[in-house]
Amino acid sequence: PCARFSREDELVATDLGWRAGAALDQLRTLAERTRIAALLQESLLPDQLPAVPGLEFATRYLAAEDAAEVGGDFYDAFPISEDGIAVVVGDVSGRGIDAAGLTGHARTTLLAVAADMPAPEALTRLNAMLRVRTSSERFLTVAYLRLFPHPTTGTATLTVCLAGHPQPLLLGPDGSVTPLG
């Protein structure tokens, strides 16, 4: 003999079903939002870094916070002359679409002006453009390096320009770490 469910049992089961369905919908929405944020974040980072004789570039981007929101951290490396390269690391305050927009604007502005002017002037130009386009609540920090390798000697000339960003660290072949800038 099967026991019959009471009306109260049916109401509890129905309620649990609705709650489970709502939770699954929220998980699907969060998963889609996380996927979109990851795609947007990926689009704000370089596809590849340039090959420079005598240098090796390596990057790893790990979001430190909520993966469902795109962040404002960025980096790039690009040629500024036949023998020079610019390396940029920056951080836009906040998260979300506004931060992503500012990140994209900062990267493309620096890419556009880098070959034509020294690092301090490029950052001054970026600052002027950002002041016109953003509110006072948003800000950006940047470490901007101009690197000119000398392959025959195994050395390089490096200019470091910091705009509120922590100093970059140079990792030596012996594992030593030296702050730059």
Side-chain angles (χ1 to χ4, degrees):
C2 284
R4 295 189 55 93
F5 291 108
S6 69
R7 178 70 183 140
E8 186 177 298
D9 291 338
E10 289 177 13
L11 290 173
V12 168
T14 301
D15 185 56
L16 286 173
W18 280 106
R19 289 175 190 249
L24 287 173
D25 282 346
Q26 286 180 348
L27 286 174
R28 281 189 203 106
T29 300
L30 180 60
E32 180 63 10
R33 196 170 157 190
T34 300
R35 186 185 73 76
I36 291 168
L39 288 172
L40 180 55
Q41 186 72 58
E42 186 178 312
S43 75
L44 294 171
L45 300 173
D47 292 330
Q48 62 183 20
L49 298 174
V52 179
L55 292 178
E56 181 180 340
F57 287 106
T59 62
R60 184 172 180 188
Y61 184 87
L62 298 172
E65 296 176 22
D66 181 10
E69 289 286 336
V70 66
D73 301 326
F74 67 96
Y75 64 87
D76 207 346
F78 45 87
I80 51 175
S81 67
E82 284 185 28
D83 58 348
I85 189 116
V87 177
V88 180
V89 176
D91 185 10
V92 173
S93 66
R95 301 186 69 71
I97 297 299
D98 290 342
L102 189 55
T103 296
H105 185 68
R107 278 190 62 229
T108 56
T109 298
L110 288 174
L111 182 60
V113 302
D116 299 329
M117 57 187 64
E121 290 178 27
L123 290 175
T124 298
R125 173 80 55 90
L126 173 63
N127 186 55
M129 294 174 112
L130 293 179
R131 290 183 68 193
V132 170
R133 297 184 68 102
T134 62
S135 69
S136 61
E137 291 114 30
R138 288 260 182 235
F139 64 91
L140 160 73
T141 66
V142 178
Y144 180 18
L145 292 73
R146 290 173 63 100
L147 181 65
F148 293 90
H150 309 291
T152 56
T153 63
T155 63
T157 302
L158 177 68
T159 302
V160 177
C161 192
L162 301 174
H165 202 276
Q167 291 176 294
L169 303 174
L170 175 65
L171 178 62
D174 62 352
S176 62
V177 176
T178 306
L180 302 175

